Amino acid sequence: MDAFVATFHRRNSTRRVAAVLIALFAALGLVGCSDDSSADAGFEGLTSGQRVYDRTGYSLDPAQTSDIQRRLENLKSETGADVIAYVRELDADSDDTLDQVEDLQQRWVSAAGVDQDTAGAILINREPGKVDEARAGIFLGTTYDDGNVPRDEQEAIVEDALIPPLRDGDVVASLRAGIDRLGSDIRNGPPVTALDRFADGPGSTWLPWTGSAIAIIGLLAVAALFRGRAKSTVPEHSPTTIRPDHTTDPAFATALVHRSVQPSGVPGTVLAVAAADALAFEQDKKPGKFDKGTVRIRLLDRTRVRGEVQQAVWSMLAERAEDDVVDGDALKKIASGPGATKELVEGRLRSSGFVADGTVRTRIALAGLGALGGAAAIGGITVATSGAPTMWFAVVASALLFVAGLSSAIAYSRFSVAGLDAARPWEAYRDGLKQAAKDKDESVDLNAALPDIVALGLASFFRKRLDAATDPASDTPLQAFTPPVGANYSSGGPVVLPWAAFSGVFVSSGSGSVASGGGAGGGGGAAGST
């Protein structure tokens, strides 16, 4: 019996110990799972007679505390706002501070028995060990959140009043500025800026209609200027793969199509010279794992070069050649612009009467009208969003002027009627080659058309065909990439190079944040950081 009693007591004691341990672990688990910001947000000792709390012990001296207390009491008597100010040391971000200042307002309502709709709280969380780093937040009841101190103004109080003095560690100046701004807002509403006054005055009366009228006049001017452009007298030709003539240089042909000298005219001319066996392509950089290598050019026979443009391109190559060889890096530089061909092609365009006089001034005027519309649209948006909704009429009209002016300046041709007429057959040739590139069943003589394909910027459309035509196993390799018969090379001689090797050279060429939110108990707030 005694043994049974002893065993019973031991079991009973074990159960009690286990129960205590379970309860202890459960309590620790609840503490570990609790939200850190909520745990740190406890505001003890709030009383109805005290509105200022300095839990740091050093942020406010007694005289400063009394001054802030007096200001808050005056705020209550003058506006009805029951506001509390609380300063402490806590490492918290802007979002945490916003949650905590809302909790402070709710606790103030409960402790002081004040009206939740007119209660407010200002919280300053000072970074422990740092004088010039802090977070500040404000939370107000619905009377002010829905009234003269809306959410964006609460953010302004934080950023413009509370935060700046805290960057110097001046807590009392921060609270004074915040309370003064809050009192002014409650009595008079948010500060009215010059832009707000402008939006309420001219921005809502005569300016929208004046701006709209100016934009409409600008649109009419754009239409009148654009209508005065040269127009071709020749109807559009049907797309064709037959070259209009066999004497026009590829560089000049692409200048007709694009209305100006193009860098792509240089590699097009190089291919034409290569097809005449005046030069040959050799391997420069060997093919790698991810590329086909690059080419270099060996200059062979200048007597085969024909025409001023080809002579200019030969001279460009010869200037960068070493022992009659131009390496890949030098070729890339040559291919980056029209070089010496620019003067020749541009001079021919002008001497042929293909460029109209005065087009530059007209295009500048169109671009200027577009820029005027863009500036007016930006200014109009600023005024409209400041409280002048009628200004949106002027914004829309100005935006239309912006689009019309710039697009017209881009589309306005510098060519004369003669130039546009001369370009027609070459445009049809360009379109025909492009269509043929997309149609597998349509054959194109690549040997004849290759210089034009490159000069007109169509190489990417023919890439598969060009890869096949430059394959070493091809039965009919491109003439421009075939070694000239009887050419004398110092080492190895040229090889049939892949198209990618040629195209790789010639063808490709805050200091802080603001958090804002609504509260569960009604109202709103804001918080920010230094």
Side-chain angles (χ1 to χ4, degrees), residues 438-463:
K438 298 176 182 178
D439 188 350
K440 296 180 180 179
D441 297 328
E442 187 169 351
S443 63
V444 175
D445 184 355
L446 291 180
N447 281 320
L450 183 58
D452 297 324
I453 289 172
V454 172
L456 292 170
L458 303 177
S460 60
F461 296 97
F462 283 89
R463 185 178 58 82

Side-chain angles (χ1 to χ4, degrees), residues 278-280 297-301 314 317-319 321 323-326:
L279 57 82
I297 285 179
R298 181 174 294 276
L299 302 178
L300 299 177
D301 187 357
W314 179 279
L317 295 170
E319 286 176 2
D323 296 328
D324 291 332
V325 174
V326 189

Side-chain angles (χ1 to χ4, degrees), residues 152-494:
D152 56 351
E153 177 57 19
Q154 293 173 42
E155 294 174 1
I157 291 174
V158 172
E159 285 298 292
D160 300 338
L162 293 173
I163 291 296
L166 292 178
R167 295 191 179 104
D168 298 323
D170 196 341
V171 173
V172 66
S174 172
L175 292 174
R176 286 170 179 166
I179 294 167
D180 291 346
R181 175 76 173 257
L182 176 59
S184 175
D185 288 345
I186 294 173
R187 288 188 292 268
N188 308 312
V192 178
T193 65
L195 181 59
D196 293 330
R197 289 191 295 270
F198 185 81
D200 290 337
S204 296
T205 53
W206 58 267
L207 186 61
W209 314 117
T210 302
S212 299
I214 292 174
I216 292 171
I217 293 172
L219 286 168
L220 294 174
V222 167
L225 289 171
F226 193 68
R227 285 182 62 186
R229 72 192 187 282
K231 303 176 184 67
S232 177
T233 59
V234 177
E236 289 188 7
H237 291 31
S238 299
T240 179
T241 57
I242 299 175
R243 203 173 197 270
D245 64 58
H246 296 289
T247 58
T248 301
D249 292 299
F252 189 74
T254 192
L256 284 174
V257 171
H258 294 99
R259 312 297 192 253
S260 63
V261 182
Q262 301 296 306
S264 59
V266 172
T269 303
V270 167
L271 289 169
V273 175
D277 290 342
L279 57 82
F281 296 108
E282 301 177 356
Q283 188 176 76
D284 185 36
K285 177 185 174 186
K286 293 183 178 180
K289 188 175 182 181
F290 301 104
D291 61 69
K292 298 288 187 178
T294 58
V295 299
R296 65 183 185 182
I297 285 179
R298 181 174 294 276
L299 302 178
L300 299 177
D301 187 357
R302 185 164 190 167
T303 62
R304 294 178 177 272
V305 177
R306 298 289 182 269
E308 289 184 336
V309 174
Q310 290 190 11
Q311 290 288 351
V313 171
W314 179 279
S315 297
M316 291 165 62
L317 295 170
E319 286 176 2
R320 295 182 179 273
E322 293 185 10
D323 296 328
D324 291 332
V325 174
V326 189
D327 62 26
D329 291 336
L331 292 178
K332 288 181 180 179
K333 294 178 181 178
I334 291 172
S336 64
T341 66
K342 183 174 183 178
E343 270 187 45
L344 292 173
V345 175
E346 184 68 20
R348 184 175 169 186
L349 289 174
R350 292 187 177 277
S351 64
S352 301
F354 292 166
V355 177
D357 295 329
T359 56
V360 173
R361 291 191 297 272
T362 304
R363 294 173 75 180
I364 291 174
L366 289 169
L369 288 169
L372 175 64
I378 294 172
I381 290 172
T382 304
V383 176
T385 54
S386 297
T390 54
M391 195 66 195
W392 287 111
F393 291 105
V395 169
V396 172
S398 298
L400 290 174
L401 176 59
F402 170 72
V403 174
L406 292 188
S407 59
S408 297
I410 294 171
Y412 197 95
S413 176
R414 66 192 286 259
F415 269 23
S416 64
V417 173
L420 295 174
D421 289 346
R424 282 294 199 207
W426 293 102
E427 291 168 351
Y429 179 52
R430 184 266 318 272
D431 295 341
L433 289 174
K434 192 172 181 180
Q435 287 185 12
K438 298 176 182 178
D439 188 350
K440 296 180 180 179
D441 297 328
E442 187 169 351
S443 63
V444 175
D445 184 355
L446 291 180
N447 281 320
L450 183 58
D452 297 324
I453 289 172
V454 172
L456 292 170
L458 303 177
S460 60
F461 296 97
F462 283 89
R463 185 178 58 82
K464 290 184 179 180
R465 296 193 193 189
L466 293 171
D467 285 339
T470 55
D471 190 306
S474 173
D475 295 332
T476 56
L478 288 175
Q479 181 181 351
F481 289 83
T482 303
V485 178
N488 183 26
Y489 297 97
S490 58
S491 61

Side-chain angles (χ1 to χ4, degrees), residues 54-128:
D54 177 15
R55 298 307 190 197
T56 65
Y58 63 84
S59 297
L60 301 171
D61 61 32
Q64 293 170 340
T65 301
S66 298
D67 176 58
I68 301 300
Q69 175 81 15
R70 177 182 57 78
R71 289 171 181 265
L72 290 174
E73 289 173 351
N74 291 340
L75 182 67
K76 162 66 176 172
S77 63
E78 294 172 4
T79 66
D82 276 304
V83 180
I84 182 176
Y86 203 100
V87 185
R88 63 178 177 180
E89 280 191 335
L90 182 67
D91 184 5
D93 60 22
S94 298
D95 291 324
D96 290 337
T97 301
L98 177 59
D99 293 337
Q100 292 161 11
V101 73
E102 178 187 355
D103 183 56
L104 174 60
Q105 188 246 23
Q106 295 293 301
R107 290 175 183 267
W108 171 243
V109 168
S110 177
V114 299
D115 184 353
Q116 177 173 282
D117 292 341
T118 58
I122 297 174
L123 172 64
I124 295 177
N125 285 326
R126 305 195 73 180
E127 187 87 11

